[in-house]
Amino acid sequence: MKKIISALYVISTCCLSGCQIGATAVDSNTPDTRFNLATGITSLYPFAGGSGLFVETPLMQANDGNLYGTSTSGGGYGSGTIFKISLTGTKTLIYNFGQNQTDAAYPRAGLIQLSDNYLYGTSSAGGNPNACESNGCGAIYKISLTGQNEQIIYAFESRSTGNTPLGGVTYNDHDGFLYGTASAGGINCAESGSQIGCGIVFKIKPDGSDYAVVHQFAGGNNDGQQPEGNLIVATNGVLYGITSNGGTNNVGTIYKIESNGNEAIVYSFESGSDGAYPGAGLIQASDGNLYGTTNYGGYANQGVVYKFDLNNQQETVIKTFMGGNDGANPNCTLVQANNGLLYGTTIQGGAAATGTHNSGTIFAIALDGTYYQVLALFNQINGSFPYAGLVQASNNLFYGTSSQGSTYFEGNVFVFNPTNN
């Protein structure tokens, strides 16, 4: 079932200490002069080829206070990097992928830190040089905060074990396993070059033992295809994720899966007002509901923010993106801030407010959709086309990455301070 709340947004003022919600509904293509949308985003570190290229992954804050992230390409071997950056902008390249034939390459997902203080992540290629047309099918790796002791804990090898992971790993403290997905592989779906199979869900222990394929997606009306984004472990102990294809209308699904492999589609997107082609993982907010974004669908086919009620299994659209001054095409996992609002990014949108740019936005939205505000615009100088979401750091500021723009037009790490608006 689906439910649409609103395609308009409400003007209000908001900062991290709280929000004052007004009652004025405004055409989403009309610039809001009460906010200086050109301020708020500061380019903290611009990327160049040697330090990384095409940064499309989210940042995370480790227990040393620094932010860590990956670049999909660039670096010393052209196969991507791991970097750390302080909250004030001091950046250190800690690892270059592709150092040998069995190393990970081209990471397309962010990192997590476990209690052993290591960072864990996935790469979309590399690992076994004899697999996937000699490019490697991807790998799961761990690395210390200093960049030492990088270890491949599993190299994807074939169609049956999965290949090309586009999401990261999630730790399930109920059973001590890491869970993740590979966007291809599995015994189902027709072959098409290296993209064979509908994708899989896997689990593995942090030491690299006990790798197992938990589920092989089948596509079609009754299952998803091409899982993306990270899984989450909800408070009910069940894992939830999204696929960008498959389901009743082949435009994506929300699914649940238990550690024993029992999987079920809990919602199939309909390619209409409810959204289509989700590309990022879910979060569980303080109200217990799941929230996510779709890249397309909605009234203007510019994407939506939706919530999914675990109790009644109902999907509700709380924001339809309209383009223009409004955002367009979100591809981010949302973050719930200290003030209870959800914050996110759109890849495009913001053109009407600047007159020349269409480089993306930062927005905030209430859990019930009654408040929505574009807080800042990307303008190429401060970055362009943010694919990933935001992280709220210990200083209460928001940090993220953009895939293009900034000094060298190759993306950046930025900081967003909503009190500057």
Side-chain angles (χ1 to χ4, degrees), residues 58-405:
L59 302 168
M60 58 82 64
Q61 188 172 25
N63 60 9
D64 64 354
N66 292 308
L67 302 171
Y68 289 79
T70 63
S71 70
T72 300
S73 59
Y77 304 95
S79 299
T81 69
I82 301 175
F83 60 88
K84 74 174 180 180
I85 187 166
S86 71
L87 299 186
T88 56
T90 301
K91 187 256 187 186
T92 305
L93 180 65
I94 69 169
Y95 193 76
N96 290 292
F97 287 106
Q99 294 192 14
N100 53 59
Q101 287 188 325
T102 59
D103 198 9
Y106 308 116
R108 298 283 298 276
L111 303 160
I112 65 168
Q113 184 181 30
L114 297 188
S115 58
D116 61 4
N117 288 328
Y118 274 79
L119 303 174
Y120 289 78
T122 65
S123 67
S124 64
N128 184 345
N130 299 315
C132 293
E133 302 176 354
S134 300
N135 295 317
C137 292
I140 308 167
Y141 62 88
K142 61 185 288 189
I143 191 168
S144 69
L145 295 181
T146 61
Q148 304 299 314
N149 304 318
E150 189 250 10
Q151 302 172 42
I152 303 299
I153 65 172
Y154 186 78
F156 296 93
E157 296 181 350
S158 65
R159 179 174 181 177
S160 61
T161 63
N163 65 77
T164 320
L166 299 180
V169 290
T170 299
Y171 183 70
N172 186 349
D173 57 10
H174 295 284
D175 61 10
F177 276 84
L178 295 168
Y179 285 79
T181 63
S183 65
I187 63 173
N188 301 306
C189 300
E191 296 187 10
S192 176
S194 61
Q195 282 292 107
I196 55 176
C198 284
I200 59 127
V201 178
F202 66 82
K203 68 178 182 179
I204 189 171
K205 287 185 177 177
D207 63 3
S209 63
D210 297 334
Y211 177 86
V213 174
V214 179
H215 178 70
Q216 301 182 69
F217 290 98
N221 291 337
N222 299 318
D223 203 3
Q225 179 177 345
Q226 193 175 347
E228 297 190 31
N230 285 25
L231 293 161
I232 64 162
V233 183
T235 52
N236 61 7
V238 178
L239 293 126
Y240 290 84
I242 60 94
T243 65
S244 60
N245 291 282
T248 306
N249 298 283
N250 198 32
V251 293
T253 70
I254 304 170
Y255 66 91
K256 68 177 182 179
I257 187 164
E258 299 176 3
S259 57
N260 61 8
N262 290 333
E263 184 259 2
I265 299 302
V266 296
Y267 187 77
S268 287
F269 291 94
E270 298 178 7
S271 191
S273 58
D274 67 324
Y277 303 112
L282 302 159
I283 66 162
Q284 187 172 29
S286 56
D287 62 357
N289 294 315
L290 306 181
Y291 290 81
T293 61
T294 67
N295 203 227
Y296 294 97
Y299 294 122
N301 199 31
Q302 303 287 346
V304 306
V305 178
Y306 64 88
K307 73 175 178 180
F308 183 78
D309 190 315
L310 293 180
N311 294 320
N312 62 24
Q313 305 289 286
Q314 183 183 66
E315 189 247 23
T316 301
V317 172
I318 63 171
K319 167 60 187 175
T320 294
F321 291 97
M322 304 301 290
N325 184 51
D326 199 13
N329 310 119
N331 195 59
C332 67
T333 298
L334 301 164
V335 60
Q336 187 172 25
N338 295 339
N339 61 8
L341 295 176
L342 301 174
Y343 286 74
T345 61
T346 63
I347 300 173
Q348 299 187 82
T354 62
T356 56
H357 302 302
N358 189 33
S359 300
T361 71
I362 293 175
F363 66 87
I365 188 168
L367 297 183
D368 61 2
T370 57
Y371 163 81
Y372 168 79
Q373 182 62 55
V374 174
L375 298 175
L377 305 177
F378 291 90
N379 59 17
Q380 298 182 16
I381 296 172
N382 61 16
S384 298
F385 311 125
Y387 279 80
L390 305 167
V391 58
Q392 187 176 26
S394 55
N395 60 2
N396 283 334
L397 302 182
F398 294 88
Y399 293 80
T401 60
S402 72
S403 63
Q404 297 181 42

Side-chain angles (χ1 to χ4, degrees), residues 13-24:
T13 57
C14 180
C15 63
L16 288 174
S17 60
C19 293
Q20 294 179 320
I21 300 180
T24 305

